[in-house]
Amino acid sequence: MDLREYFKRIGFSGLYDKADLDTLCTIHKLHVMTIPFENLSIHCGEKITMDLKVIYEKIVCDHRGGWCCESNLLFSWVLGEMGYKCITLGGKVFNSLKNDFSPMDMHLINMVEIDGKPYIADVSFGMSCQIWQPLELIAGKDQPQPPGVFRLLNDGDKWILEKTGRKAQVQNEAFANSNVIDKRLKKTMYSFCLTSRAADYFLETSEYLQTSPESLFTQKSICSLQTPTGLKAMVGWNYWEIIFNPEEETDVYEMKDVPDNEIETVLKDKFYLNFASKLTPVNKKDVEENEQLNISTNTAHK
């Protein structure tokens, strides 16, 4: 594995001989802008692995994306190679229907320590709750970013991440009542403890997400990518672009349906993805989209 090839993949041309906060913020943002969050391997008949070398080959060499167990694991390797003090943590994603967190750690994140201060680096939460830059691990502090205002809360050994967003302004009237639009302004995202976890700890999570009939990922094909002005996403046959407009406290949605024969073209043109195997789009409507797509595109434990 070659760190320089990763930097070429995300478009980073700066110096990386100093593990400082500015460099971490830069590569974090470049990662979410160039590497899509996606579960499309499942719908191409491909096995998703926790093998770092396989993940590197997929994301860096084949120019694909991945979900948290892939993208954040790759990012942890990058941070280690750059000299950052970093550990991997497990998160439990919040389910608002049950008003509780998932019983298992279903989300992989990284904690980085710089000059004695800890930061949460999460490059693979996806959709409108994706952080663009690391969050300082400090309780109760508003940390504004383009997607909204993020805030970490502390309850003993447990930390909780929440986001306050903006009102959705849907341009296409036909999609005004779409259940993929989460109209809640304040969202609890996930909880985590500061216990270091090895990659093998997430093997059960990875297997569950790609095989269980209850998993969001087996029932929906999902791809999202942050853009300089917002984000773009594809779920099944539905494509949308969101423009963040914090000055007017709105997020502007442009949405459309894509025919079967144009799916792979859209994924290539908008997300820069090519597939070695045939992709079969999936979007089962009986899955709770508001709960999962807007709170987390990284777990479907219900």
Side-chain angles (χ1 to χ4, degrees):
M1 299 189 295
D2 188 339
L3 189 61
R4 292 169 298 181
E5 290 301 312
Y6 167 80
F7 288 139
K8 187 185 300 183
R9 170 75 171 94
I10 66 170
F12 177 67
S13 57
L15 300 175
Y16 52 92
D17 57 350
K18 184 178 180 182
D20 59 16
L21 181 58
D22 286 344
T23 303
L24 175 61
C25 289
T26 298
I27 62 171
H28 191 291
K29 185 176 180 180
L30 286 172
H31 188 113
V32 303
M33 295 283 167
T34 55
I35 298 177
F37 172 84
E38 52 111 332
N39 72 337
L40 302 179
S41 287
I42 296 174
H43 306 287
C44 292
E46 302 167 356
K47 178 70 174 178
I48 297 176
T49 178
M50 294 294 300
D51 185 319
L52 181 59
K53 291 183 179 179
V54 175
I55 293 169
Y56 172 91
E57 187 75 20
K58 175 184 176 181
I59 293 178
V60 176
C61 302
D62 295 341
H63 282 233
R64 284 284 302 278
W67 59 24
C68 68
C69 291
E70 299 172 286
S71 208
N72 273 327
L73 185 61
L74 175 66
F75 200 62
S76 72
W77 169 78
V78 170
L79 296 175
E81 290 292 295
M82 295 180 68
Y84 286 97
K85 184 178 179 181
C86 172
I87 62 172
T88 296
L89 309 176
K92 303 179 188 299
V93 175
F94 187 75
N95 185 323
S96 66
L97 294 180
K98 295 184 177 183
N99 196 35
D100 201 0
F101 296 94
S102 61
M104 294 172 58
D105 283 344
M106 306 291 280
H107 185 52
L108 186 158
I109 61 176
N110 292 297
M111 184 173 72
V112 188
E113 185 178 316
I114 301 173
D115 296 331
K117 291 184 178 181
Y119 297 84
I120 295 301
D122 181 355
V123 295
S124 193
F125 200 75
M127 297 298 192
S128 62
C129 284
Q130 175 63 59
I131 62 173
W132 286 15
Q133 294 184 336
L135 298 171
E136 185 179 357
L137 188 66
I138 183 170
K141 178 182 178 180
D142 285 353
Q143 302 190 54
Q145 295 192 10
V149 179
F150 294 91
R151 185 181 304 104
L152 286 157
L153 307 175
N154 181 235
D155 181 12
D157 292 335
K158 181 169 71 175
W159 288 83
I160 298 171
L161 177 59
E162 62 181 27
K163 175 206 166 187
T164 301
R166 296 175 287 268
K167 182 179 178 181
Q169 180 181 324
V170 184
Q171 300 294 90
N172 319 58
E173 190 172 331
F175 292 93
N177 297 315
S178 172
N179 61 354
V180 301
I181 302 173
D182 191 346
K183 297 182 179 179
R184 292 170 295 176
L185 297 183
K186 191 172 183 179
K187 305 162 190 172
T188 301
M189 293 170 55
Y190 54 79
S191 67
F192 58 93
C193 295
L194 306 183
T195 302
S196 180
R197 303 296 190 187
D200 286 354
Y201 177 79
F202 298 93
L203 286 173
E204 184 180 355
T205 292
S206 179
E207 183 68 15
Y208 169 82
L209 291 176
Q210 60 188 305
T211 61
S212 172
E214 296 183 6
S215 168
L216 171 73
F217 291 149
T218 61
Q219 300 188 46
K220 291 182 181 293
S221 50
I222 302 166
C223 184
S224 74
L225 182 64
Q226 307 300 302
T227 71
T229 56
L231 68 98
K232 45 193 172 184
M234 178 78 122
V235 179
W237 297 265
N238 185 245
Y239 173 76
W240 69 93
E241 296 184 358
I242 302 175
I243 303 298
F244 298 148
N245 188 7
E247 293 79 11
E248 298 184 13
E249 286 298 317
T250 60
D251 289 339
V252 181
Y253 285 67
E254 286 278 1
M255 307 177 72
K256 68 177 182 178
D257 288 326
V258 178
D260 252 326
N261 61 354
E262 296 180 13
I263 293 287
E264 291 194 13
T265 299
V266 171
L267 289 168
K268 180 178 180 180
D269 292 346
K270 299 295 186 179
F271 302 94
Y272 321 110
L273 298 177
N274 290 297
F275 302 92
S277 305
K278 175 65 177 176
L279 171 68
T280 303
V282 178
N283 188 12
K284 295 186 178 180
K285 296 296 185 181
D286 57 346
V287 177
E288 180 53 53
E289 291 176 294
N290 264 355
E291 177 59 32
Q292 301 296 346
L293 290 181
N294 293 282
I295 296 298
S296 171
T297 51
N298 291 285
T299 180
H301 191 87
K302 296 181 70 178

